[in-house]
Amino acid sequence: MEFWWLAVLVWVAAIGLIVLALLLRNNRKLSVQVLFGVSLFLLVFKTVEFACYRAVGKALYPVEFSHISYFVLGATMVSGVKKLRPFAGLCSLISGVAFVFATTASPNTVYTDAFSVYFMIVSISQHLVLMFAGFLMLFSLDKYRIKDIWISIIGVGVIFVFSALVHKRILYKDFAKWDDMVIIHILTGNILKYLFPPSFVLPMWLRVCTIIFLMSVLVGCFAAYYLVNNKIFDKREKNGNALKDTDYELGILPLILYFVKKKKGGVSKSDGGESLSS
């Protein structure tokens, strides 16, 4: 691998961000602030980026899983809808971790597919931030109800269907890369093509096994995300180390609720009024 050093750099950065997420795991207030900040930045940055593509006539749209994850994470944290947090965290973590392993398996592809060194650095940074946000939402925000796992399952299913519709040119008919979508390569079992020479044709049995393996991993990710989250919070409560500032929230919805309560004269510290106004 000519660009093996790139995989090493990505792993070093990823480990550093995981350590940072672990250091923040017991500080919910700071975790919320950090998550809100990075989510807002990603939401604005990606919106401007794709708007610029359209302005200059490039037929590029947010159709990949990671592309959609930027907007899911941004919209969830900026809006302040707590029910969507597990879905946003799961999407972010899958996108970030998958990118790290993809870089490990084929760093040459990450380097050669980028338009320039700048875009490569931006791409790596964005995916690592998604991973960091996913871990932070796993460790530090809320205890997610396992019975709400259906929200994440339906959400990921909608992403797959959306990407399939783009691939079939039902949506975004002028999309420039409809035949080279990573998410479609995953769904069709062709993702391993990046590990072989361009002339190599993947046999059907290998594609089927790849699909079964990846779907099994995905199902495992759903279960693991909720179970690990619950285990962490249960252990905190058992040891008497429950998170502080559990009423502290940022976002459009918490802000609206704050002003509603303030108008009714019902804002108190326990309602999060002090936190939201600070």
Side-chain angles (χ1 to χ4, degrees):
M1 292 188 296
E2 182 181 357
F3 299 103
W4 59 269
W5 51 269
L6 184 59
V8 173
L9 290 176
V10 168
W11 269 101
V12 170
I15 292 172
L17 288 173
I18 293 172
V19 171
L20 179 58
L22 288 170
L23 292 175
L24 291 172
R25 70 188 185 280
N26 293 321
N27 191 331
R28 187 182 184 279
K29 183 176 181 178
L30 182 57
S31 295
V32 171
Q33 293 171 341
V34 170
L35 270 170
F36 185 85
V38 298
S39 300
L40 179 60
F41 173 80
L42 284 176
L43 181 62
V44 173
F45 182 80
K46 300 307 290 186
T47 299
V48 171
E49 179 184 19
F50 283 105
C52 288
Y53 287 147
R54 296 302 299 155
V56 299
K58 289 186 178 181
L60 297 175
Y61 303 93
V63 298
E64 295 286 7
F65 193 90
S66 59
H67 294 165
I68 298 171
S69 295
Y70 297 127
F71 292 97
V72 170
L73 174 65
T76 297
M77 292 305 301
V78 171
S79 67
V81 179
K82 297 176 67 174
K83 277 280 189 180
L84 292 178
R85 282 179 182 169
F87 171 50
L90 187 61
C91 287
S92 300
L93 196 56
I94 290 175
S95 297
V97 172
F99 180 83
V100 171
F101 280 104
T103 305
T104 304
S106 184
N108 291 14
T109 302
V110 174
Y111 187 89
T112 56
D113 281 2
F115 296 120
S116 65
V117 173
Y118 166 77
F119 281 107
M120 182 189 70
I121 294 173
V122 169
S123 177
I124 292 173
S125 300
Q126 291 174 159
H127 283 88
L128 291 179
V129 168
L130 279 179
M131 184 201 67
F132 170 67
F135 275 117
L136 207 55
M137 295 177 83
L138 175 67
F139 297 145
S140 311
L141 258 62
D142 309 290
K143 181 179 179 180
Y144 305 132
R145 300 194 304 175
I146 296 178
K147 68 178 183 179
D148 288 336
I149 194 173
W150 63 271
I151 297 175
S152 296
I153 294 174
I154 292 178
V156 171
V158 169
I159 293 175
F160 287 163
V161 171
F162 169 76
S163 297
L165 292 175
V166 173
H167 177 64
K168 293 296 183 180
R169 293 194 169 184
I170 297 174
L171 297 175
Y172 299 146
K173 296 180 180 181
D174 62 335
F175 181 51
K177 300 180 67 176
W178 66 271
D179 60 342
D180 192 29
M181 297 169 60
V182 174
I183 190 170
I184 298 299
H185 292 323
I186 292 174
L187 293 175
T188 58
N190 281 317
I191 193 65
L192 292 182
K193 74 171 190 173
Y194 293 108
L195 302 179
F196 297 97
S199 59
F200 182 78
V201 178
L202 292 173
M204 182 58 67
W205 68 267
L206 182 56
R207 291 173 58 187
V208 171
C209 290
T210 301
I211 294 171
I212 294 173
F213 173 75
L214 292 177
M215 291 302 106
S216 299
V217 171
L218 181 61
V219 171
C221 288
F222 281 121
Y225 196 82
Y226 282 82
L227 292 174
V228 170
N229 169 267
N230 278 232
K231 186 69 174 179
I232 291 172
F233 278 79
D234 288 342
K235 186 175 181 180
R236 281 198 183 108
E237 293 171 5
K238 183 178 179 180
N239 296 335
N241 297 322
L243 285 178
K244 299 178 180 178
D245 301 310
T246 55
D247 292 324
Y248 182 84
E249 297 291 349
L250 291 174
I252 297 172
L253 182 58
L255 187 63
I256 292 174
L257 293 175
Y258 166 72
F259 282 116
V260 169
K261 290 181 179 179
K262 185 176 181 180
K263 187 175 181 179
K264 293 180 179 180
V267 172
S268 65
K269 184 176 180 179
S270 61
D271 291 327
E274 180 178 288
S275 298
L276 286 169
S277 61
S278 62

